[in-house]
Amino acid sequence: MSIDGYLDAATDERLLLSNEADLDRVDAVRAECDAILVGAQTVRRDNPRLLVRSQERRDARVARGMLPSPLKVTVTSRAWLDPQAQFFAAGDIEKLVYCASDAVGEAQERLGKVATVVDGGQPVDVCEVTTDLYRRGVARLMVEGGGTMHTQFLTADLADELHLVVAPFFVGDSRACRFVGDGRFPWHPGRRATLAEVRQIGDVVLLRYALSERFCA
Ligand SMILES: NC(=O)c1ccc[n+]([C@@H]2O[C@H](COP(=O)([O-])OP(=O)(O)OC[C@H]3O[C@@H](n4cnc5c(N)ncnc54)[C@H](OP(=O)(O)O)[C@@H]3O)[C@@H](O)[C@H]2O)c1
């Protein structure tokens, strides 16, 4: 996020917050996960590939009996997703779409050939999503945004750790998406989160918070 807590600009231009070294760190974290989840708006706006970039890391996963990249997961209530988006087109790995019940038919029709559509309830409950993912063999899930997803996973107390990277500039436009929206978070002045690590990575800083007993230092 920016110094003032934004994940993106309000304009159509893509905002680059991380630097190369941090993107490589993110790649290393991705390589240790079983699945990566982003909200549908991130699929539409950023068109991310969500694959492990480093060949060495992909090879290491395969040597451990895993697929080269983690499973890709998204959540939608409207199913307005393009089957040609990189989320679906990139990587020969399973893609899961948790869709609100009343749009499952539409999602199936539009995305059934490129993804597994799962009825996620009305609305989709992220607790249920994690339970279903666990049943499918996902022990470690990386949530990569956007703000709506962060808010739901954090307020539902589902996150074991938070990696917050601060880029050295301001966005200064409240039309842009913030790191989180409003909500009742389990960490507040009466219950402070544990700051587990602070690491400078070039011109950005990584703040790593331990949020649950399952956090591994
Ligand atoms: N800086 C970063 O690291 C980073 C990372 C990721 C994203 N971003 C930025 O974040 C912004 C997007 O964030 P965002 O908060 O607007 O959107 P988002 O979290 O990416 O996606 C929100 C969408 O996900 C679906 N959704 C979320 N919760 C749902 C639920 N409980 N049930 C059903 N559907 C649900 C809805 O999709 P439908 O509208 O399809 O129903 C909703 O519109 C973009 O600007 C992107 O560039 C930045």
Side-chain angles (χ1 to χ4, degrees):
M1 64 177 201
S2 62
I3 292 174
D4 50 348
Y6 289 102
L7 291 182
D8 197 4
T11 58
D12 284 342
E13 259 170 56
R14 182 97 190 260
L15 181 71
L16 188 64
L17 287 144
S18 287
N19 56 34
E20 265 312 310
D22 186 52
L23 289 172
D24 188 59
R25 180 197 64 81
V26 171
D27 196 57
V29 179
R30 271 186 188 170
E32 295 303 314
C33 292
D34 302 308
I36 306 174
L37 181 148
V38 294
Q41 183 60 15
T42 296
V43 174
R44 286 188 289 262
R45 183 164 161 95
D46 296 356
N47 195 21
R49 291 163 57 83
L50 300 179
L51 299 174
V52 173
R53 293 193 307 179
S54 143
Q55 184 64 48
E56 208 180 326
R57 290 180 188 129
R58 286 199 298 267
D59 291 346
R61 283 178 61 95
V62 172
R64 296 204 302 266
M66 302 165 87
L67 288 166
S69 278
L71 181 80
K72 297 192 228 180
V73 184
T74 192
V75 178
T76 182
S77 58
R78 298 176 294 171
W80 293 352
L81 287 163
D82 179 357
Q84 289 178 348
Q86 298 274 28
F87 177 92
F88 300 107
D92 191 14
I93 42 166
E94 193 179 359
K95 292 102 191 178
L96 285 174
V97 178
Y98 286 90
C99 182
S101 304
D102 64 5
V104 164
E106 198 179 333
Q108 194 64 50
E109 203 171 298
R110 190 171 298 148
L111 306 167
K113 287 204 177 83
V114 292
T116 303
V117 175
V118 183
D119 187 336
Q122 191 73 37
V124 178
D125 176 348
V126 290
C127 277
E128 297 294 326
V129 169
T130 54
T131 304
D132 188 66
L133 284 172
Y134 188 71
R135 271 191 231 114
R136 291 171 191 268
V138 174
R140 193 169 165 84
L141 172 69
M142 181 175 185
V143 177
E144 282 206 45
T148 313
M149 295 320 312
H150 295 152
T151 307
Q152 290 174 76
F153 276 85
L154 290 167
T155 55
D157 205 359
L158 288 169
D160 299 319
E161 65 179 277
L162 169 63
H163 293 198
L164 189 66
V165 174
V166 183
F169 57 82
F170 294 80
V171 168
D173 186 343
S174 62
R175 291 170 305 165
C177 180
R178 281 194 185 270
F179 158 54
V180 286
D182 295 348
R184 286 170 67 90
F185 292 86
W187 306 276
H188 45 72
R191 183 171 179 245
R192 294 159 79 100
T194 304
L195 179 61
E197 185 186 350
V198 177
R199 195 191 315 165
Q200 181 171 352
I201 306 170
D203 65 351
V204 304
V205 63
L206 165 69
L207 305 169
R208 201 165 153 232
Y209 292 92
L211 301 182
S212 89
E213 298 292 311
R214 292 183 298 271
F215 172 83
C216 303

